[in-house]
Amino acid sequence: MDNTVYVGLSRQMILERELDITSNNLANVDTTGFKFESMISNDDSVTMPTPGIAPAAVHFVADAGVARDFTQGSLVQTNAPLDVAVDGKGFFTINTAAGPRYTRDGRFKLDSGGRIVTQDGDPVDGGGDIVLDPTKGGVTIAPNGIISQQGQNVGKISVVTFDSLAALSKDGNNQYRNDSNLTPTPAANAQVRQGFLESSNVEPVRQITRLIEIERAYDAVANMMSSTQDLSDSAIQRLGAVNPS
Amino acid sequence: MQALRTAATGMAAQQLNVEVISNNIANMNTVGFKRQSAVFEDLLYQTYEAPGSQSSDSGNIVPTGVQIGAGVKAGSVYRITGQGTLTNTGNALDMAVNGPGYFQVLLPSGETAYTRAGNFSANDQGQIVTADGYLVQPTIALPANTTNITISQTGQVQATVGNATAPTVVGQMQLATFLNDAGLDAVGNNLFMESAGSGPATAGNPGNPGFGVVMQGYTEASNVDPVTEITNLIIAQRAYEMNSKVVTTADQMLSTAVSTKT
């Protein structure tokens, strides 16, 4: 009988974790290049020895992983020459002090040395640093990533992808980390759009609906747990009564 | 519950967004104002199960892992330096830059500031100054008894003195450009300062390659588009409301958990 409470508890713990994920999605409804996440839970069956009766599996709920939806976010025009968005499957590579990081957030700027860097000052990879000449003015970035100033090719912004995007871990600051043994390969089906930023792909309606579902499921489990409690209360009252009716 | 704190970061971010939008709307009629936009970044992630870790003794691998984010933070508030429309004022010393470039202004501290607000006038010594009385660089002094001032698109300032028939050249306006003018540091009074993000200033004559031209008798209006700002305001308010719904949901779940034991 106690198992009912524990199974319910396992479900409630997962629901709280799902609420954490949903709230992170909603907090990032305006975050450049953000990809929303959802929880995958599965059945965690445990067979417990029960004296007197044949052993039966008890199905707890466990979290199997967080699924990340890499659907393209809508592109918003900013007209800034160093704002770039990836249209298609691919990431920019950022050479940070802690190793390469991958991002779809293309809000770049120039540092005092003329290198193209992120807002945090880490250089954007183009087979090495991409250095622009401040005196030459206007920068054009072609859909294939080639950067030119006054018609002259000055570099190429790298766009890479992975065989499995599930291998990437989020690192904060809109960046992903690659902890797996997969190697990044040049993205074949991605184009670079100058003057655009990719907005978050969070769909508020879906997330709000999810909030309601989580709350109702949590309530349902709480009801089940209190019914179980009522059951044991009445069992104790009946069995313990001096003159059972 | 993490959800409560995550939603609070979301609400704080949208509050900042509204502050930026309100500053844009307040400066809708400010000469040479460039609208700003807040951009957000996700916060750190807490890893409960790393991708690729084993989920059982028989070697099953967790394919994606469980990572839960802690919310959002403001990444940067950056300036959108698009051209504002040029407004005809008829004032001979009003100048607007059509294209890239900033006027250079000497601050009382000796530093150089940069501005797109060209509503200039002359001081008691005939020097061209900003609305706050700061000298425009390079210093150009108009002779006494100047009757007519002509400023060419390439920045040459000519003055007609007294009854003279031909104007005389009294100075040459210069503009400054930056690699990344979105990185300039705004200091108020329509002035900007050079920063590490903007790169060093490159001075040059108006009309040179990479520099805009000077339009006499015009000022540059703010590039704030009221419709865009109001739309952004609606989006920010709704996003704030959605985050507050998360707070309500987390609160009700906690209340359910508390009332399970009656």
Side-chain angles (χ1 to χ4, degrees):
Chain A
M1 177 111 87
D2 279 340
N3 282 338
T4 319
V5 178
Y6 290 128
V7 169
L9 186 61
S10 74
R11 178 74 181 123
Q12 283 188 324
M13 282 165 68
I14 295 298
L15 283 168
E16 285 188 15
R17 208 167 261 192
E18 280 199 68
L19 178 69
D20 291 345
I21 291 175
T22 310
S23 66
N24 189 49
N25 289 342
L26 278 172
N28 286 292
V29 74
D30 246 359
T31 302
T32 314
F34 183 81
K35 301 295 170 196
F36 80 90
E37 297 172 318
S38 47
M39 173 72 94
I40 313 168
S41 46
N42 66 1
D43 174 322
D44 189 10
S45 79
V46 179
T47 310
M48 293 187 187
T50 320
I53 51 169
V58 178
H59 299 272
F60 291 95
V61 188
D63 45 0
V66 171
R68 207 165 280 141
D69 189 321
F70 280 97
T71 314
Q72 174 85 39
S74 54
L75 298 184
V76 178
Q77 190 163 21
T78 63
N79 282 331
L82 290 177
D83 279 354
V84 278
V86 181
D87 190 358
K89 186 183 167 187
F91 299 88
F92 298 117
T93 309
I94 313 296
N95 295 317
T96 70
R101 294 287 182 269
Y102 304 94
T103 187
R104 287 181 65 92
D105 172 7
R107 288 172 297 131
F108 301 138
K109 63 176 187 183
L110 291 170
D111 68 3
S112 47
R115 288 186 309 174
I116 300 186
V117 295
T118 62
Q119 293 295 321
D120 300 322
D122 294 317
V124 178
D125 184 76
D129 292 347
I130 307 168
V131 184
L132 300 183
D133 184 348
T135 56
K136 282 191 181 162
V139 182
T140 314
I141 304 173
N144 60 7
I146 302 252
I147 305 169
S148 49
Q149 276 187 303
Q150 293 183 351
Q152 282 185 322
N153 184 343
V154 292
K156 184 173 192 282
I157 198 161
S158 316
V159 180
V160 297
T161 187
F162 296 87
D163 288 341
S164 166
L165 296 182
L168 295 173
S169 305
K170 278 196 179 180
D171 207 36
N173 294 328
N174 300 343
Q175 295 177 348
Y176 297 87
R177 196 174 63 233
N178 176 24
D179 289 335
S180 71
N181 51 11
L182 294 175
T183 47
T185 50
N189 299 318
Q191 292 192 315
V192 177
R193 300 267 179 241
Q194 186 183 19
F196 285 88
L197 287 176
E198 183 184 11
S199 53
S200 166
N201 74 344
V202 174
E203 292 169 70
V205 179
R206 272 171 78 166
Q207 300 302 324
I208 295 285
T209 319
R210 194 77 203 102
L211 274 188
I212 300 169
E213 285 172 0
I214 292 169
E215 194 186 339
R216 295 290 173 242
Y218 196 90
D219 285 356
V221 176
N223 283 338
M224 182 188 78
M225 286 161 87
S226 65
S227 309
T228 312
Q229 207 179 4
D230 291 350
L231 215 60
S232 51
D233 278 359
S234 65
I236 291 166
Q237 274 173 8
R238 291 209 179 180
L239 297 174
V242 183
N243 294 312
S245 54
Chain B
M1 262 195 208
Q2 174 62 37
L4 282 171
R5 288 185 288 273
T6 307
T9 67
M11 290 167 83
Q14 292 308 328
Q15 194 174 331
L16 176 99
N17 204 0
V18 170
E19 283 163 12
V20 172
I21 296 167
S22 67
N23 186 47
N24 286 345
I25 295 176
N27 285 292
M28 218 165 73
N29 287 325
T30 304
V31 175
F33 182 80
K34 301 294 172 198
R35 60 183 287 256
Q36 287 181 295
S37 166
V39 192
F40 302 105
E41 290 176 359
D42 49 2
L43 279 175
L44 288 176
Y45 283 74
Q46 189 177 355
T47 305
Y48 291 86
E49 285 170 41
S53 61
Q54 291 197 350
S55 64
S56 75
D57 291 344
S58 51
N60 297 43
I61 300 283
V62 178
T64 51
V66 178
Q67 277 196 303
I68 296 179
V72 66
K73 66 171 181 195
S76 60
V77 177
Y78 79 129
R79 201 167 293 284
I80 295 168
T81 52
Q83 175 82 39
T85 49
L86 301 184
T87 318
N88 192 344
T89 61
N91 185 343
L93 282 177
D94 277 351
M95 292 175 234
V97 184
N98 192 3
Y102 292 80
F103 296 112
Q104 303 169 83
V105 176
L106 182 68
L107 297 184
S109 62
E111 292 170 293
T112 306
Y114 303 91
T115 187
R116 294 278 294 187
N119 47 338
F120 300 138
S121 39
N123 68 6
D124 56 349
Q125 291 147 44
Q127 292 161 321
I128 299 178
V129 294
T130 66
D132 294 314
Y134 302 151
L135 285 174
V136 176
Q137 296 294 303
T139 313
I140 296 167
L142 301 170
N145 303 324
T146 299
T147 51
N148 190 25
I149 305 161
T150 314
I151 302 166
S152 70
Q153 291 207 344
T154 54
Q156 196 177 64
V157 184
Q158 296 179 315
T160 312
V161 184
N163 296 326
T165 48
T168 48
V169 176
V170 294
Q172 168 71 43
M173 290 295 296
Q174 277 200 332
L175 297 177
T177 57
F178 298 89
L179 260 176
N180 178 33
D181 50 5
L184 286 169
D185 201 7
V187 291
N189 293 331
N190 297 340
L191 299 175
F192 298 97
M193 303 294 286
E194 184 182 306
S195 76
S198 68
T202 313
N205 287 348
N208 282 1
F211 290 87
V213 294
V214 171
M215 308 290 288
Q216 185 189 15
Y218 287 86
T219 54
E220 183 182 6
S222 159
N223 73 345
V224 173
D225 171 27
V227 179
T228 314
E229 298 305 329
I230 297 292
T231 316
N232 288 344
L233 194 61
I234 295 171
I235 295 170
Q237 190 189 353
R238 292 298 177 217
Y240 190 89
E241 282 179 26
M242 284 187 276
N243 280 291
S244 78
K245 276 281 183 285
V246 175
V247 175
T248 323
T249 308
D251 180 38
Q252 292 193 342
M253 280 169 62
L254 282 173
S255 144
T256 306
V258 168
S259 61
T260 309
K261 165 92 183 70
T262 45

